[in-house]
Amino acid sequence: MISTIAQLKNRFEQALIAAFGADYGSVDPILVPASNPKFGDYQANVSLSLAKPLGKAPRAIAEQLVQQLNLADLCEPPTVAGPGFINLTLRTSYLEAQIKAIQSDPRLGVAAIDQPQRVIVDYPSPNIAKEMHVGHLRPAIVGDCLARILEFVGHDVQRISHIGDWGTPFGMLIAYLREAYPAALTASESLDLGDLSTFYRQAKKRFDDDENFREAARLSVVKLQAGEAETLRAWKIVCELSSRSYRVIYDLMGIAHVLERGESFYNPLLESVVEDLKATGLLVEDNGAQCVFLEGFTNKEGKPLPLIVQKSDGGYNYATTDLAAIRYRVKEDKAQRVIYPVGMEQTNHFTQIFQVGRRAGWITDAVKFVHAPFGLVLGEDNKKLKTRSGEAVRLQDLLDEAIVRARADLEARLQAEERQESEAFIAHAAQVTGISAIKYADLSQNRTSNYIFSYDRMLALQGNTAPYMLYAYVRVQGISRKGQIDFEALGTDAKILLQDETELVLAKHLLQLDEVLAQIDEDLLPNRLCQYLFELSQKFNRFYEQCPILDAEEPLRTSRLILADLTARSLKLGLALLGIPVLERM
């Protein structure tokens, strides 16, 4: 199905050519949703942008353009307002036909894009042997959501976690593994080494307290870098312990499978990265280190700032590894777009490595590298969310608390309603609601902003929250249960009738999902989808309160049932793209 906005743009292209010549066919009609429903559904502002090149008043241009617009099958006769705005109101017959068309479409009218790309989304990238904390919340949630949306609209998406799994800290962990769990190094199957936090804390305590242990850790680093077999086995065991721990959290959060490709993967490639940069003439030796002096970045003395690629002792750093990843993703993965959902504080780092990548010839016009920054998760005190002791909040604790609170809310509601539900129902509903509340609260914010983490707000049944969306979906399922309606059996020959104003408003909104997803494909802002779903829920609730559904006469009854079903399907699809499952009952 061709989207409404695409059809309107096509008609404007034809009208621009007819009115002003072929050179104007590619001019953007600047079509936007009308700011006020009394002006219609869409507004075209192209006349204002053409005033200077055509040497005419915008209103005269608009009137000339309207004479050439062929929109009779889509819109009521267009009108010109103000200095030259062209207002468009969709015909009821067109809306009824479009709703009919998406009724049998599992994609609800969202066509796959014409030019799909190979896209890499880099998330959530924790450090091996360290527990995930609140700082990993946003990259995991935002990254997973972006990957889901881009995949749905038609891109070939690869999810990669650039985990920290190499470097000096591993000496400490390997030395501790040798000392505390020597059997792990010879066992044919993996042993239970306890939970990740305990393992790390015990290793850190040994490192802090014992000089001999620190020396053993240093030697383990040397052996690891040299590729000594037993040390590599110990390193793999530590990595496996971490991966198992992370997977538990990912599964609880509903995060799709991510390919772990850590710093160790790129370690063999670092020397050739340096050689490549040297061959392009970008490398400059500065105090024994190999550097690229950056354009647009200066130090305190006002001189160009160096990005160190190889340290004076011959070692490498994070920038070198990130440059190796850029080169690999272009040359080997054949990526056309690479997205890094990473905190705002890393903006300079990404700007710098992207600059080096472009100057080295790895990043070209054929591939786009994008840092999708996000703000901080703040506590009620408007400061970075931390525990009372000042440490970062464990992500597992954050999720568990949400489930506990969601369960308490549900049990209180069941008691008030004198409802009896099974333990399995309560446990499942509490987990879905609690985890969904955290994810939705994050995604509903513009990702570039900080937001205050509040269980009370995110679990509220009213407002732009996950429980409100879930309840709207449940309300439709309640209609199905009460009327013993099988939505799939309504039939594709049923007539759609949009008579009440709330029906028209709901239908128009249902037909805008493709526009919302197309916009997210461009700007990577998932809060647009949250806002769409929130407004959809509001518009459905007004329709539900205004229009009888089960008690309506035919054919209006079936038409309204189809609208309700399309609302539920849109909510289910939209929430799935956010990484949120629905509940049939709450």
Side-chain angles (χ1 to χ4, degrees):
M1 189 176 83
I2 302 175
S3 73
T4 299
I5 200 81
Q7 292 186 69
L8 291 174
K9 286 182 177 179
N10 180 261
R11 304 295 177 87
F12 266 89
E13 178 183 338
Q14 296 171 16
L16 284 162
I17 292 172
F20 309 117
D23 291 344
Y24 290 89
S26 60
V27 171
D28 184 355
I30 316 179
L31 269 168
V32 295
S35 56
N36 190 321
K38 71 179 183 180
F39 299 132
D41 299 312
Y42 291 96
Q43 178 178 288
N45 301 331
V46 64
S47 304
L48 283 72
S49 68
L50 289 177
K52 188 173 181 179
L54 289 175
K56 294 181 179 181
R59 189 174 181 93
I61 294 171
E63 290 170 347
Q64 186 177 350
L65 192 54
V66 162
Q67 295 300 316
Q68 301 296 334
L69 272 172
N70 178 18
L71 295 171
D73 57 328
L74 301 178
C75 304
E76 301 295 341
T79 59
V80 177
F85 305 123
I86 301 174
N87 292 329
L88 308 169
T89 300
L90 297 173
R91 285 187 181 277
T92 299
S93 58
Y94 169 77
L95 292 170
E96 290 172 342
Q98 293 293 94
I99 290 294
K100 191 69 198 165
I102 69 171
Q103 182 193 353
S104 58
D105 182 2
R107 293 180 60 87
L108 298 172
V110 182
I113 54 175
D114 294 330
Q115 296 179 311
Q117 296 176 316
R118 176 165 292 184
V119 181
I120 289 175
V121 184
D122 186 331
Y123 74 97
S125 309
N127 288 320
I128 288 293
K130 290 187 179 180
E131 281 193 300
M132 295 183 74
H133 54 74
V134 65
H136 297 112
L137 182 69
R138 300 205 80 177
I141 292 174
V142 174
D144 182 63
C145 177
L146 291 177
R148 288 172 184 268
I149 291 173
L150 294 173
E151 197 166 58
F152 180 75
V153 300
H155 294 297
D156 175 13
V157 178
Q158 188 172 19
R159 300 161 168 85
I160 295 179
S161 179
H162 187 90
I163 55 175
D165 66 349
W166 198 253
T168 305
F170 281 90
M172 173 186 79
L173 299 168
I174 291 168
Y176 181 70
L177 181 71
R178 280 200 180 102
E179 180 180 274
Y181 301 93
L185 297 173
T186 56
S188 58
E189 298 180 2
S190 60
L191 299 181
D192 182 7
L193 305 183
D195 69 276
L196 192 61
S197 59
T198 301
F199 183 85
Y200 185 83
R201 281 198 303 270
Q202 291 172 341
K204 185 70 167 63
K205 188 175 187 308
R206 292 287 292 121
F207 188 84
D208 293 339
D209 295 346
D210 190 331
E211 188 174 333
N212 290 331
F213 183 84
R214 285 198 294 275
E215 177 61 18
R218 188 191 68 79
L219 290 174
S220 292
V221 173
V222 174
K223 292 179 180 178
L224 178 62
Q225 292 174 339
E228 193 265 330
E230 186 191 79
T231 303
L232 278 176
R233 175 169 171 76
W235 169 74
K236 288 178 181 177
I237 290 170
V238 173
C239 290
E240 182 186 337
L241 170 64
S242 296
S243 292
R244 286 205 308 270
S245 299
Y246 300 153
R247 191 65 258 167
V248 170
I249 293 178
Y250 296 157
D251 288 345
L252 181 59
M253 293 179 70
I255 302 297
H257 176 75
V258 183
L259 171 65
E260 291 186 348
R261 187 190 284 173
E263 295 167 354
S264 62
F265 179 86
Y266 301 103
N267 196 58
L269 309 176
L270 301 184
E271 185 178 345
S272 63
V273 166
V274 173
E275 292 303 317
D276 268 13
L277 294 174
K278 193 175 292 183
T280 61
L282 289 176
L283 277 189
V284 177
E285 186 172 317
D286 185 57
N287 292 325
Q290 298 297 317
C291 309
V292 176
F293 282 88
L294 299 163
E295 298 171 353
F297 290 87
T298 55
N299 58 22
K300 292 179 181 179
E301 291 76 36
K303 297 179 180 178
L305 187 73
L307 179 72
I308 298 175
V309 178
Q310 187 173 28
K311 296 181 285 188
S312 58
D313 64 1
Y316 305 103
N317 55 26
Y318 293 128
T320 323
T321 304
D322 283 342
L323 289 171
I326 287 174
R327 187 181 66 163
Y328 191 91
R329 290 168 178 183
V330 173
K331 295 183 179 295
E332 304 301 327
D333 291 328
K334 308 296 183 186
Q336 295 164 285
R337 183 160 45 148
V338 183
I339 301 165
Y340 297 81
V342 180
M344 194 84 71
E345 65 275 11
Q346 295 294 322
T347 297
N348 276 350
H349 171 74
F350 284 107
T351 302
Q352 291 171 0
I353 62 172
F354 292 167
Q355 180 191 130
V356 174
R358 279 192 299 273
R359 290 167 64 188
W362 304 328
I363 300 177
T364 64
D365 292 341
V367 60
K368 188 175 183 181
F369 277 72
V370 182
H371 174 214
F374 47 75
L376 299 172
V377 181
L378 305 178
E380 299 278 7
D381 58 359
N382 217 33
K383 296 180 181 178
K384 204 170 181 179
L385 188 62
K386 292 182 179 180
T387 63
R388 289 182 179 177
S389 62
E391 298 176 348
V393 179
R394 294 172 70 235
L395 186 50
Q396 184 74 56
D397 293 342
L398 207 68
L399 301 173
D400 290 344
E401 178 69 13
I403 296 171
V404 168
R405 291 186 181 226
R407 183 179 180 118
D409 288 350
L410 175 58
E411 289 177 335
R413 191 151 38 85
L414 292 177
Q415 186 174 2
E417 297 171 3
E418 298 182 345
R419 269 170 63 196
Q420 295 291 325
E421 296 288 356
S422 68
E423 168 59 25
F425 172 88
I426 294 171
H428 175 67
Q431 179 171 313
V432 169
T433 304
I435 300 301
S436 299
I438 286 181
K439 295 175 77 170
Y440 190 91
D442 192 305
L443 293 168
S444 63
Q445 308 292 321
N446 184 311
R447 62 167 166 75
T448 62
S449 304
N450 300 338
Y451 76 93
I452 294 175
F453 189 96
S454 168
Y455 287 114
D456 290 341
R457 279 202 293 272
M458 63 180 59
L459 286 166
L461 283 171
Q462 296 298 322
N464 192 7
T465 66
Y468 183 69
M469 304 303 120
L470 294 172
Y471 186 74
Y473 178 83
V474 166
R475 176 171 264 184
V476 179
Q477 304 317 305
I479 295 171
S480 171
R481 288 190 294 271
K482 183 179 179 181
Q484 297 183 316
I485 305 297
D486 180 359
F487 285 126
E488 294 183 3
L490 289 176
T492 56
D493 57 344
K495 188 175 179 60
I496 302 297
L497 298 169
L498 303 176
Q499 298 179 351
D500 190 89
E501 181 61 26
T502 61
E503 292 176 295
L504 285 165
V505 168
L506 178 58
K508 290 173 185 178
H509 199 74
L510 285 167
L511 296 171
Q512 290 171 4
L513 179 58
D514 58 340
E515 297 173 26
V516 173
L517 296 180
Q519 188 64 47
I520 298 172
D521 187 9
E522 290 184 17
D523 61 26
L524 307 176
L525 294 174
N527 62 295
R528 294 186 185 279
L529 179 55
C530 294
Q531 187 63 32
Y532 169 84
L533 296 174
F534 177 48
E535 292 177 9
L536 175 61
S537 299
Q538 289 180 312
K539 287 172 170 55
F540 171 74
N541 286 334
R542 282 194 286 270
F543 157 70
Y544 179 84
E545 292 160 5
Q546 181 72 27
C547 298
I549 299 177
L550 292 175
D551 294 337
E553 296 292 331
E554 292 293 1
L556 200 55
R557 182 178 188 267
T558 297
S559 175
R560 288 176 176 172
L561 284 170
I562 290 171
L563 277 182
D565 180 43
L566 285 173
T567 298
R569 288 168 57 195
S570 298
L571 284 168
K572 186 174 184 178
L573 172 59
L575 289 171
L577 295 177
L578 298 176
I580 294 174
V582 294
L583 292 167
E584 299 301 311
R585 294 190 299 118
M586 286 180 71

